[in-house]
Amino acid sequence: MKRKWQGIAVLALSSMIAAGCTISGEATSKTVTISEDVKLQSALTDGSLNVKHEGSIPIEVEANYTGFKGDQLFYNQNKATYRLKLETMKKEKIADEPFYLLSEDGQRALSLVNGEFYVLDFELNTKQFIGTGSAEHMTYFGNSNGSTVIQIIHKESDILLEKTNLSTDQKTSWKISDMFDWDGLSISSFQTSSNGVYIVGKSLQEGYGFYHLTEKGEMEQLSPLEKIDSIDRYHFLDEETIIFNDVYNGKSGIYTLNLKTEQVTQLIAGGEDEEGVWVPFYKLSPDKSKILFDAPVQVGKEYKANVYIAELANGQISNSSLIMQNADLYAVIAYTGYWSEDSNTVFISTSTPGNEMIDTVEVFQVQSDK
C-alpha cells in the first residue's frame, strides 16, 4: 500500500503505515547524498550533511515499530513488558504488565489491564492508575516525556477531554462536545501545555482553527489555519512557530506556521500522481536542529521510500542528504525513525515485506565538520 495523506479524526497510527519496510539493497558505510536527479521540489539548498552509516543491527526478538525507541526496543512477552538494549543486546523484563503505547522518550508506557489504564514508569519502576475504560477509549500521552495523559471519554451524549498530570495526579476536564464540532475533530492533534491543551478542530463559535484550552476553561484561537486542510501532527519549534505536514493552499508538504504573523513556509514539497496526493512525513531531532523526512518513490509496480536527513535553522532546510534509497519502510519515518538524545545519531527500523516485526535497525551518525 502506498502512503497517502488522510485527515484522521481518531488516534490511529495504522493510517500512516506502509506495507513492507526494508532497505532494498546492502547497506554501506559510505555517505550517500542527494543528487540533482533525486532532489525533491522543495526549499532544499545546495550542500549535504556528512553522515556515516555506522552499521546494521539484526533483531531477533518479536518487536514492532510501536516499541521502537532507537537503541532500545520494547516488546510484550507472556503478558509483560521487556526491553532489549541494542548496545549490549541484553534482554530484560521491566514491567509485569504489557504496554500498548510508549512516551516519545521511552521512559514511560501506557498499559490497559482488565479495563484499567495505567502508566508504567520504567525509571522509577512504578505503576500509576489513570482511569477505567475499554480499548475503544482514546488514552494516550499528551507530551513527549509522558508526564501528562489525555483521555477522550464518552458519557451518554457528552464527549469529555480529560488531562491527567502524573506528578500531582491532578485531573482537568473539558466538555469538548459543547465547544467543538465532533465531525472532523482531529483527536491526534491534542497535546498538553503547561496550563491546558492544544486542539485542532472546528469551534462552534469561531470555526476551524488551532486552539488552546486553559485549565480555567478559557479558549483562545491561536490560528485560523487558513488554506490548511488539517493538522494531525505538529511540533513547536519555539513559542510562535510550529512545524507540521499537511496540505496548504492545495499543495502537500512539510511546512512551518508562524502563529503570530500567520506566515506559512514550505520546507519540503509533497506530490501527486495517478493514485492521489502524498505527503512527506518528518522526525524532528530533540534539539530541533535537524529532521529526517521521507518521500515515496515508484520502483516497478511497487512504492518504496527515500529517507533524507537535513539541518533545520532559521525556518529553512539546508544541507540535505539521502541516507536510504528505495527503502521498504513498514510505517512512515515519523514512527520508524528515531534520534539519539544528543541529536547526532539516527536509528531507522526496517522490516521484511509483509511482516510488521522489526528485522534490522540501521544506525547513522552525523559527523562534525569541526
XYZ file of all heavy atoms in Angstrom, residues 245-317:
571
model
N 3.085 18.603 8.818
C 2.973 18.101 7.445
C 1.495 17.988 7.086
O 0.706 17.415 7.829
C 3.703 16.769 7.256
C 3.230 15.677 8.185
O 2.891 15.938 9.335
N 3.207 14.447 7.715
N 1.139 18.576 5.925
C -0.264 18.672 5.562
C -0.377 19.177 4.136
O 0.597 19.186 3.381
C -0.986 19.628 6.525
C -2.469 19.315 6.633
O -3.186 19.540 5.649
O -2.903 18.853 7.705
N -1.598 19.614 3.792
C -1.854 20.251 2.501
C -2.181 21.719 2.751
O -3.126 22.037 3.478
C -3.015 19.573 1.755
C -3.328 20.315 0.455
C -2.676 18.122 1.450
N -1.382 22.597 2.184
C -1.597 24.034 2.323
C -1.799 24.648 0.948
O -0.985 24.442 0.038
C -0.401 24.691 3.022
C -0.416 26.200 2.957
C -1.332 26.943 3.700
C 0.468 26.881 2.125
C -1.358 28.325 3.620
C 0.447 28.268 2.040
C -0.470 28.985 2.795
O -0.502 30.349 2.707
N -2.878 25.390 0.798
C -3.179 26.071 -0.468
C -3.121 25.100 -1.649
O -2.628 25.435 -2.732
C -2.196 27.226 -0.683
C -2.706 28.238 -1.698
O -3.920 28.336 -1.947
N -1.809 28.996 -2.299
N -3.608 23.882 -1.413
C -3.673 22.881 -2.466
C -2.396 22.109 -2.700
O -2.361 21.229 -3.565
N -1.314 22.409 -1.947
C -0.032 21.744 -2.153
C 0.380 21.014 -0.875
O 0.379 21.588 0.205
C 1.046 22.761 -2.551
C 0.769 23.450 -3.892
C 1.873 24.428 -4.233
C 1.602 25.117 -5.574
N 2.666 26.078 -5.932
N 0.742 19.746 -1.030
C 1.148 18.953 0.119
C 2.622 19.173 0.440
O 3.414 19.529 -0.434
C 0.894 17.461 -0.146
O 1.670 17.020 -1.245
N 2.979 18.950 1.697
C 4.372 19.099 2.079
C 4.571 19.216 3.567
O 3.653 19.002 4.369
N 5.797 19.554 3.937
C 6.154 19.861 5.320
C 6.305 21.375 5.412
O 7.008 21.985 4.604
C 7.452 19.161 5.734
C 7.298 17.643 5.597
C 7.837 19.517 7.174
C 8.585 16.864 5.821
N 5.642 21.979 6.403
C 5.583 23.437 6.492
C 5.903 23.912 7.910
O 5.842 23.153 8.874
C 4.174 23.938 6.154
C 3.708 23.665 4.753
C 3.041 22.480 4.437
C 3.891 24.600 3.738
C 2.599 22.231 3.142
C 3.445 24.366 2.446
C 2.802 23.175 2.156
O 2.355 22.941 0.873
N 6.205 25.201 8.006
C 6.191 25.885 9.294
C 5.105 26.947 9.259
O 4.794 27.499 8.198
C 7.541 26.556 9.623
O 7.874 27.499 8.593
C 8.636 25.523 9.761
N 4.517 27.209 10.414
C 3.493 28.242 10.554
C 3.863 29.138 11.713
O 4.056 28.660 12.836
C 2.115 27.608 10.813
C 0.998 28.558 11.287
C 0.673 29.600 10.211
C -0.246 27.766 11.664
N 4.001 30.438 11.435
C 4.223 31.422 12.489
C 2.862 31.834 13.029
O 2.054 32.412 12.309
C 4.980 32.637 11.946
C 5.365 33.618 13.044
O 4.502 34.160 13.725
N 6.652 33.843 13.218
N 2.582 31.502 14.279
C 1.270 31.748 14.866
C 0.992 33.232 15.095
O -0.155 33.637 15.247
C 1.135 30.993 16.189
C 1.261 29.463 16.089
C 1.289 28.844 17.472
C 0.133 28.887 15.261
N 2.038 34.046 15.091
C 1.864 35.478 15.291
C 1.595 36.200 13.986
O 0.705 37.060 13.899
C 3.103 36.069 15.970
C 2.987 37.547 16.313
C 4.214 38.033 17.066
C 4.088 39.504 17.450
N 5.279 39.984 18.197
N 2.339 35.856 12.936
C 2.201 36.549 11.651
C 1.335 35.785 10.655
O 0.978 36.322 9.610
C 3.582 36.768 11.014
O 4.161 35.483 10.693
C 4.506 37.508 11.960
N 1.020 34.513 10.953
C 0.265 33.625 10.064
C 1.041 33.275 8.793
O 0.465 32.775 7.827
C -1.100 34.226 9.688
C -2.068 34.319 10.835
C -2.427 32.951 11.417
O -2.588 31.990 10.641
O -2.525 32.842 12.653
N 2.343 33.513 8.780
C 3.147 33.170 7.611
C 3.392 31.666 7.565
O 3.818 31.060 8.532
C 4.481 33.898 7.629
C 5.372 33.562 6.437
C 6.698 34.301 6.463
O 6.918 35.171 7.300
N 7.594 33.952 5.552
N 3.116 31.070 6.400
C 3.349 29.650 6.179
C 4.524 29.493 5.219
O 4.552 30.137 4.162
C 2.104 28.958 5.605
C 2.397 27.485 5.317
C 0.927 29.076 6.575
N 5.489 28.660 5.587
C 6.670 28.436 4.750
C 6.792 26.954 4.435
O 6.756 26.117 5.341
C 7.944 28.899 5.466
O 7.842 30.287 5.799
C 9.176 28.684 4.576
N 6.936 26.635 3.164
C 7.121 25.242 2.777
C 8.595 24.855 2.925
O 9.475 25.523 2.390
C 6.671 25.007 1.334
C 6.738 23.535 0.931
C 6.382 23.300 -0.515
O 7.192 23.585 -1.397
N 5.178 22.815 -0.774
N 8.837 23.777 3.657
C 10.189 23.260 3.820
C 10.475 22.154 2.817
O 11.539 22.119 2.202
C 10.389 22.730 5.243
C 10.161 23.708 6.399
C 10.382 23.000 7.721
C 11.065 24.914 6.275
N 9.544 21.232 2.684
C 9.673 20.091 1.781
C 8.353 19.918 1.035
O 7.286 19.958 1.643
C 9.972 18.784 2.551
C 11.192 18.954 3.450
C 10.164 17.612 1.598
C 12.487 19.180 2.735
N 8.423 19.726 -0.272
C 7.213 19.547 -1.068
C 6.787 18.091 -1.098
O 7.620 17.184 -1.081
C 7.432 20.049 -2.494
N 5.487 17.883 -1.155
C 4.937 16.560 -1.389
C 4.702 16.392 -2.873
O 5.417 16.963 -3.694
N 3.665 15.653 -3.239
C 3.410 15.457 -4.658
C 2.079 14.802 -4.911
O 1.296 14.531 -3.991
N 1.803 14.550 -6.173
C 0.555 13.917 -6.577
C 0.812 13.084 -7.822
O 1.564 13.476 -8.712
C -0.514 14.974 -6.853
C -1.875 14.408 -7.210
C -2.932 15.482 -7.361
O -2.575 16.679 -7.268
O -4.106 15.126 -7.563
N 0.216 11.911 -7.859
C 0.316 11.075 -9.046
C -1.042 10.456 -9.326
O -2.060 10.902 -8.784
C 1.399 10.004 -8.877
C 1.168 9.127 -7.647
O 0.005 8.978 -7.223
O 2.145 8.579 -7.119
N -1.068 9.412 -10.147
C -2.345 8.829 -10.537
C -3.086 8.195 -9.376
O -4.302 7.984 -9.433
C -2.134 7.775 -11.640
C -1.389 6.517 -11.226
C 0.133 6.703 -11.236
O 0.590 7.844 -11.511
O 0.851 5.727 -10.969
N -2.390 7.906 -8.286
C -3.036 7.309 -7.121
C -3.489 8.339 -6.106
O -4.157 8.013 -5.136
C -2.098 6.296 -6.461
C -1.859 5.064 -7.318
C -1.301 3.927 -6.503
O -1.074 4.120 -5.289
O -1.083 2.852 -7.062
N -3.128 9.585 -6.300
C -3.575 10.620 -5.386
C -2.439 11.442 -4.809
O -1.293 11.355 -5.239
N -2.766 12.237 -3.790
C -1.804 13.138 -3.157
C -1.007 12.388 -2.090
O -1.558 11.596 -1.328
C -2.539 14.332 -2.511
C -1.566 15.209 -1.733
C -3.252 15.150 -3.581
N 0.287 12.621 -2.045
C 1.096 12.071 -0.964
C 1.786 13.210 -0.220
O 2.100 14.252 -0.780
C 2.121 11.057 -1.470
C 3.114 11.564 -2.474
C 3.012 11.520 -3.830
C 4.369 12.204 -2.195
N 4.114 12.081 -4.423
C 4.973 12.518 -3.438
C 5.046 12.542 -1.011
C 6.209 13.147 -3.541
C 6.281 13.173 -1.121
C 6.842 13.464 -2.364
N 1.981 12.991 1.059
C 2.593 13.990 1.936
C 3.826 13.388 2.602
O 3.753 12.284 3.143
C 1.599 14.464 3.010
C 2.287 15.352 4.045
C 0.442 15.211 2.382
N 4.962 14.061 2.565
C 6.139 13.556 3.284
C 5.936 13.672 4.792
O 5.262 14.585 5.265
C 7.264 14.475 2.803
C 6.578 15.750 2.425
C 5.239 15.342 1.871
N 6.494 12.733 5.534
C 6.466 12.787 6.992
C 7.862 13.141 7.502
O 8.846 13.020 6.774
C 6.004 11.456 7.575
C 4.513 11.297 7.576
C 3.830 11.035 6.404
C 3.794 11.419 8.754
C 2.454 10.899 6.395
C 2.419 11.285 8.764
C 1.739 11.019 7.578
N 7.949 13.576 8.749
C 9.224 14.010 9.299
C 9.402 13.504 10.719
O 8.442 13.141 11.407
C 9.327 15.544 9.292
C 8.380 16.209 10.271
C 8.754 16.469 11.588
C 7.089 16.577 9.886
C 7.880 17.054 12.488
C 6.210 17.167 10.770
C 6.606 17.406 12.072
O 5.724 17.973 12.959
N 10.649 13.486 11.162
C 11.001 13.188 12.546
C 11.961 14.269 13.004
O 13.085 14.381 12.489
C 11.665 11.810 12.642
C 11.946 11.353 14.067
C 10.663 10.883 14.729
C 10.934 10.218 16.064
N 9.705 9.662 16.654
N 11.549 15.089 13.934
C 12.329 16.225 14.421
C 13.321 15.768 15.484
O 12.983 14.981 16.375
C 11.379 17.276 14.995
C 11.961 18.610 15.459
C 12.522 19.386 14.269
C 10.884 19.422 16.168
N 14.557 16.259 15.398
C 15.559 15.909 16.401
C 15.226 16.589 17.724
O 14.553 17.619 17.756
C 16.953 16.332 15.932
O 17.057 17.746 15.851
N 15.685 16.036 18.859
C 15.383 16.622 20.170
C 15.789 18.087 20.312
O 15.087 18.877 20.953
C 16.165 15.733 21.136
C 16.231 14.417 20.447
C 16.403 14.757 18.992
N 16.923 18.477 19.697
C 17.349 19.874 19.808
C 16.749 20.755 18.710
O 17.060 21.940 18.617
C 18.878 19.981 19.807
C 19.488 19.563 18.465
O 18.742 19.221 17.524
O 20.734 19.577 18.362
N 15.895 20.145 17.869
C 15.160 20.854 16.815
C 16.067 21.483 15.761
O 15.665 22.391 15.042
C 14.241 21.923 17.424
C 13.266 21.362 18.449
C 12.419 22.434 19.098
C 11.520 21.825 20.168
N 10.671 22.847 20.832
N 17.278 20.948 15.630
C 18.219 21.489 14.651
C 18.282 20.654 13.370
O 18.878 21.074 12.386
C 19.620 21.587 15.247
O 20.171 20.286 15.454
N 17.659 19.460 13.389
C 17.715 18.571 12.232
C 16.383 17.840 12.100
O 15.632 17.701 13.081
C 18.836 17.542 12.369
C 20.214 18.104 12.677
C 21.219 16.980 12.825
C 22.552 17.481 13.385
N 22.460 17.773 14.830
N 16.122 17.343 10.886
C 14.947 16.496 10.697
C 15.287 15.337 9.765
O 16.159 15.439 8.905
C 13.726 17.254 10.132
C 13.998 17.782 8.720
C 13.281 18.368 11.058
C 12.741 18.284 8.014
N 14.595 14.237 9.970
C 14.501 13.166 8.985
C 13.213 13.406 8.220
O 12.223 13.871 8.791
C 14.421 11.804 9.665
C 15.646 11.234 10.364
C 15.257 9.961 11.107
C 16.745 10.947 9.367
N 13.193 13.086 6.943
C 11.925 13.120 6.214
C 11.950 12.070 5.121
O 13.009 11.580 4.727
C 11.622 14.520 5.660
C 12.596 15.039 4.647
C 12.377 14.886 3.280
C 13.742 15.718 5.052
C 13.270 15.388 2.352
C 14.643 16.225 4.125
C 14.409 16.060 2.771
N 10.761 11.673 4.678
C 10.661 10.617 3.682
C 9.869 11.079 2.474
O 9.164 12.083 2.510
C 10.042 9.346 4.285
C 8.655 9.584 4.869
O 8.079 10.668 4.655
O 8.143 8.679 5.551
N 10.006 10.335 1.391
C 9.266 10.599 0.163
C 9.072 9.272 -0.564
O 10.030 8.506 -0.709
C 10.017 11.582 -0.735
N 7.854 8.959 -1.011
C 7.624 7.706 -1.743
C 8.229 7.762 -3.138
O 8.247 8.816 -3.778
C 6.099 7.611 -1.795
C 5.634 9.020 -1.710
C 6.614 9.727 -0.835
N 8.733 6.638 -3.597
C 9.261 6.525 -4.950
C 8.700 5.248 -5.568
O 8.523 4.244 -4.878
C 10.803 6.485 -4.979
C 11.385 7.826 -4.578
C 11.342 5.391 -4.064
N 8.408 5.307 -6.865
C 7.882 4.130 -7.541
C 9.026 3.319 -8.131
O 9.850 3.826 -8.883
C 6.900 4.534 -8.649
C 6.190 3.347 -9.274
C 5.049 3.751 -10.181
O 4.771 4.936 -10.343
N 4.372 2.771 -10.758
N 9.066 2.045 -7.771
C 10.066 1.123 -8.287
C 9.297 -0.026 -8.933
O 8.751 -0.887 -8.241
C 10.993 0.598 -7.174
C 12.021 -0.365 -7.738
C 11.674 1.755 -6.454
N 9.235 -0.027 -10.248
C 8.404 -1.003 -10.936
C 6.947 -0.743 -10.616
O 6.442 0.367 -10.796
N 6.263 -1.744 -10.100
C 4.863 -1.598 -9.719
C 4.709 -1.316 -8.227
O 3.594 -1.196 -7.731
C 4.078 -2.857 -10.097
C 4.015 -3.115 -11.603
C 3.176 -4.354 -11.899
C 3.095 -4.596 -13.403
N 2.281 -5.801 -13.719
N 5.823 -1.215 -7.510
C 5.772 -1.010 -6.076
C 6.166 0.411 -5.702
O 6.845 1.104 -6.458
C 6.707 -1.992 -5.356
C 6.342 -3.452 -5.551
C 7.282 -4.362 -4.800
O 8.382 -3.893 -4.417
O 6.936 -5.534 -4.579
N 5.717 0.838 -4.530
C 6.114 2.132 -3.983
C 7.011 1.904 -2.781
O 6.667 1.165 -1.860
C 4.891 2.955 -3.582
C 4.196 3.566 -4.755
C 3.137 2.908 -5.379
C 4.603 4.796 -5.265
C 2.496 3.470 -6.473
C 3.966 5.370 -6.356
C 2.920 4.698 -6.956
O 2.285 5.253 -8.043
N 8.160 2.515 -2.817
C 9.107 2.419 -1.711
C 9.353 3.826 -1.165
O 8.588 4.736 -1.475
C 10.387 1.747 -2.186
C 10.170 0.335 -2.752
C 11.459 -0.303 -3.185
C 11.214 -1.676 -3.798
N 10.697 -2.638 -2.801
N 10.400 4.008 -0.381
C 10.648 5.312 0.231
C 12.112 5.690 0.159
O 12.995 4.835 0.283
C 10.191 5.306 1.685
N 12.355 6.972 -0.059
C 13.679 7.543 0.143
C 13.655 8.282 1.479
O 12.671 8.947 1.813
C 14.038 8.520 -0.970
C 14.406 7.814 -2.266
O 14.612 6.611 -2.284
N 14.485 8.566 -3.345
N 14.721 8.159 2.229
C 14.809 8.806 3.539
C 15.959 9.809 3.510
O 17.072 9.480 3.084
C 15.042 7.782 4.667
C 15.138 8.497 6.019
C 13.913 6.757 4.695
N 15.670 11.018 3.964
C 16.638 12.114 3.938
C 16.869 12.639 5.346
O 16.023 12.524 6.232
C 16.111 13.275 3.084
C 15.782 12.925 1.658
C 14.570 12.319 1.336
C 16.663 13.204 0.617
C 14.244 11.994 0.026
C 16.351 12.888 -0.696
C 15.142 12.290 -0.982
O 14.829 11.976 -2.283
N 18.043 13.236 5.525
C 18.353 13.952 6.758
C 18.801 15.345 6.366
O 19.472 15.532 5.343
C 19.447 13.217 7.566
C 19.689 13.901 8.912
C 20.739 13.107 6.773
C 20.634 13.120 9.816
N 18.380 16.349 7.153
C 18.729 17.730 6.810
C 18.814 18.570 8.068
O 18.311 18.196 9.134
C 17.685 18.325 5.857
N 19.469 19.714 7.930
C 19.529 20.684 9.020
C 18.330 21.615 8.947
O 17.818 21.910 7.856
C 20.826 21.484 8.951
C 22.057 20.646 9.255
C 23.333 21.465 9.234
O 23.586 22.129 8.216
O 24.077 21.421 10.230
N 17.888 22.068 10.099
C 16.759 22.987 10.190
C 17.173 24.167 11.053
O 17.459 24.011 12.237
C 15.546 22.279 10.807
C 14.296 23.121 11.088
C 13.747 23.713 9.796
C 13.232 22.278 11.773
N 17.233 25.346 10.430
C 17.659 26.543 11.161
C 17.029 27.772 10.529
O 16.926 27.867 9.300
C 19.175 26.671 11.155
N 16.585 28.695 11.381
C 16.000 29.955 10.925
C 14.858 29.738 9.940
O 14.695 30.460 8.961
C 17.075 30.852 10.295
C 18.200 31.172 11.248
O 17.972 31.461 12.420
N 19.442 31.106 10.755
N 14.078 28.692 10.191
C 12.922 28.425 9.353
C 13.241 27.909 7.976
O 12.408 27.976 7.073
N 14.454 27.364 7.773
C 14.859 26.873 6.467
C 15.512 25.491 6.593
O 16.139 25.175 7.599
C 15.850 27.836 5.801
C 15.276 29.212 5.487
C 14.227 29.172 4.393
O 14.273 28.323 3.509
N 13.266 30.085 4.453
N 15.353 24.693 5.533
C 16.019 23.403 5.431
C 17.305 23.586 4.625
O 17.312 24.255 3.596
C 15.114 22.382 4.716
C 13.915 22.014 5.583
C 15.892 21.135 4.332
C 14.277 21.217 6.799
